[in-house]
Amino acid sequence: SQEEKAAGAVAWGQGDFEKAIEKFSAALDAEKSGANDKTFLKTVYSNRSAAYMKTNNKNAALLDANECLGIDPNWPKGYIRKGDALFSMAKYTEAYNAYNSAHRLDTSDLGIKNKCSLAEKAIRDSANAPSRPSAPTNSSSPTYLSSAHAYLRLFVIVNAVTYFATAYLAPAVGRFCYRNFVVASIVDYLVAVYSAHGLPKMSMEYAQRVMLDPSSMYLFLSFLLLMQRPSMLAMAPIVITAIVHSTHYMHAVVQRKNPDMLTKAEPLVAKYLPALLKQSSESWERLTTSAKWRLFDQELVHMACYCEVLQGLVFILQLLFPSRNFLGTMMWWQYLQMRYMMDQQGPVKAAFSSIDSVISGWLAHRLCPQVIAKGYGFVRTFCANKVKIPEAGEPAPSMSSMIPKCTIS
């Protein structure tokens, strides 16, 4: 069981949170059938809860946090895990109670105190926030605003596909579609930010909420595209995200108007989608409907993050050629730095980690010149320091204090 736990920790460090969950689960099964060490069990439950949070499986994270507390009700980390899961579910009062329980058990931990403060702010914000239309899910009836927003996203997708098809065959049409795509994307994310946070307010709490919203990051990305030469790879994150939202909307519409169509489509979905999402047919059938949607969303979000990081590498490589764009490269990496530091669920960090592992493997080859490996090591260290979360007592940007540290034992 120790070997499985260690393997889970390695997978965590590499950003492979699904594998980490698998290894931690194996460690738990082995320990329960063996020594049944309570300290070991609560630690691995805590680790698996953190891994579930990284995959956005909030309910499973909460269950594992409760398992920790069932084993040791006086363990601060168990309450922290519980608070993190509840906070992600927008159950801010319950999250505050959990964080406060951890604080009572360990009054010296500044991280716990910061989490209590964030939960208190969230409680105040949710109490003062104006009522806003919620985004449609696969089980909701679309509202007028959500319907208009969905059509806007479909317009984004259509223009992107048309650009991909005509960029080289009919450049004039391609440029027209690209402009439509960028402008529609900007409007799309302005609507998304308004729907989530309301009209702009001159307050730090509002600014913090907006900065932590991925829609704000993609709004910035849309403005970047407005100033860049057209690039399919740079467009891909916005297209993929639009596909995710449009799929949910279309499912809700069809479910409301013609549920028989969904029944007829299920065999096709069960035949092709599991392979695309790296699932076996047997495991796919065992998943609940909500778990299938969550897996679909998660895989596409990860794909979008990979495209963002790869585009950043393309910009660096382009510096070696006459077509280089120094300003574009600098702004894109500034965007990636913000994305990395504001990444609460982990897909951006996982994309960086995965791509870094591939590049490190290439550079470790005996035929690779050492100067290239050293150059990459310098760039890698520089980027890591730029997004490093300061320890207690170190100077830090004000927004950094909002990013909770998440570690495993």
Side-chain angles (χ1 to χ4, degrees):
S1 56
Q2 288 287 354
E3 291 79 5
E4 296 291 350
K5 178 190 172 189
V10 170
W12 170 280
Q14 295 173 343
D16 191 347
F17 303 116
E18 293 289 354
K19 184 177 180 181
I21 291 170
E22 178 186 334
K23 294 299 181 182
F24 290 144
S25 300
L28 289 170
D29 292 340
E31 189 65 23
K32 288 176 184 177
S33 61
N36 205 32
D37 184 293
K38 300 298 184 185
T39 301
F40 179 89
L41 287 174
K42 73 177 185 181
T43 301
V44 179
Y45 271 122
S46 170
N47 293 350
R48 194 172 70 173
S49 176
Y52 275 131
M53 284 296 294
K54 291 294 187 182
T55 61
N56 204 30
N57 193 340
K58 304 167 187 176
N59 290 325
L62 181 59
L63 289 174
D64 275 2
N66 286 331
E67 289 287 348
C68 293
L69 296 174
I71 296 170
D72 184 355
N74 296 314
W75 194 38
K77 184 168 279 191
Y79 287 104
I80 293 172
R81 297 297 189 218
K82 182 175 182 178
D84 289 345
L86 290 168
F87 192 93
S88 70
M89 297 174 178
K91 297 180 179 180
Y92 302 125
T93 302
E94 295 175 57
Y96 173 79
N97 292 336
Y99 291 143
N100 198 38
S101 297
H103 181 59
R104 287 198 298 268
L105 293 168
D106 186 357
T107 56
S108 63
D109 192 321
L110 296 177
I112 299 175
K113 191 173 182 180
N114 185 48
K115 287 176 181 287
C116 288
S117 299
L118 290 176
E120 283 183 304
K121 289 180 182 178
I123 292 170
R124 290 196 300 269
D125 291 340
S126 60
N128 297 329
S131 58
R132 294 182 297 270
S134 58
T137 64
N138 52 307
S139 60
S140 65
S141 297
T143 64
Y144 174 78
L145 180 60
S146 66
S147 298
H149 200 188
Y151 285 120
L152 181 60
R153 284 166 171 157
L154 288 173
F155 184 72
V156 168
I157 296 171
V158 169
N159 277 279
V161 172
T162 307
Y163 169 77
F164 295 160
T166 62
Y168 299 106
L169 299 176
V173 176
R175 287 192 297 271
F176 176 76
C177 291
Y178 180 77
R179 285 194 296 270
N180 287 345
F181 166 82
V182 173
V183 173
S185 298
I186 292 172
V187 176
D188 173 19
Y189 288 108
L190 283 173
V191 173
V193 172
Y194 165 75
S195 298
H197 307 288
L199 293 173
K201 300 176 184 176
M202 298 300 293
S203 69
M204 182 58 68
E205 289 81 6
Y206 180 86
Q208 290 171 341
R209 288 203 316 271
V210 170
M211 286 299 293
L212 289 173
D213 189 340
S215 294
S216 300
M217 296 291 102
Y218 274 7
L219 176 59
F220 182 76
L221 173 59
S222 300
F223 279 108
L224 276 183
L225 295 181
L226 190 63
M227 298 179 285
Q228 304 274 359
R229 286 190 294 268
S231 165
M232 294 182 185
L233 187 58
M235 295 166 63
I238 291 177
V239 177
I240 293 170
T241 307
I243 289 173
V244 171
H245 291 293
S246 297
T247 304
H248 279 274
Y249 176 81
M250 294 304 296
H251 182 274
V253 171
V254 175
Q255 187 177 53
R256 183 164 56 93
K257 293 187 175 181
N258 192 356
D260 291 340
M261 184 181 295
L262 291 180
T263 304
K264 294 177 182 177
E266 282 180 1
L268 287 175
V269 173
K271 182 177 180 181
Y272 296 107
L273 195 57
L276 294 175
L277 300 181
K278 304 171 187 175
Q279 295 285 312
S280 65
S281 299
E282 294 76 15
S283 62
W284 179 260
E285 291 300 326
R286 289 196 296 268
L287 294 174
T288 63
T289 301
S290 60
K292 291 175 181 177
W293 276 109
R294 187 165 56 248
L295 184 62
F296 172 79
D297 294 348
Q298 177 184 310
E299 287 296 324
L300 289 187
V301 166
H302 279 104
M303 188 186 303
C305 293
Y306 275 101
C307 292
E308 293 173 51
V309 179
L310 286 174
Q311 179 60 48
L313 296 178
V314 169
F315 270 121
I316 291 177
L317 292 176
Q318 285 178 340
L319 295 178
L320 303 174
F321 299 94
S323 60
R324 55 184 171 269
N325 184 347
F326 287 107
L327 180 60
T329 302
M330 182 184 69
M331 295 184 67
W332 192 274
W333 278 94
Q334 184 68 37
Y335 161 75
L336 287 179
Q337 180 183 352
M338 290 192 299
R339 285 282 281 147
Y340 190 97
M341 295 185 72
M342 301 298 177
D343 182 34
Q344 294 184 309
Q345 302 299 334
V348 177
K349 294 181 176 69
F352 269 102
S353 179
S354 178
I355 293 174
D356 174 61
S357 297
V358 173
I359 295 176
S360 297
W362 291 344
L363 297 179
H365 194 278
R366 59 186 179 84
L367 297 179
C368 178
Q370 284 298 309
V371 66
I372 297 179
K374 289 181 179 179
Y376 176 72
F378 172 80
V379 173
R380 185 179 183 276
T381 303
F382 175 79
C383 292
N385 289 334
K386 292 289 285 183
V387 297
K388 179 182 177 183
I389 301 173
E391 300 294 338
E394 292 183 356
S398 58
M399 288 303 297
S400 298
S401 61
M402 291 197 61
I403 308 169
K405 293 181 68 176
C406 189
T407 58
I408 62 174
S409 305

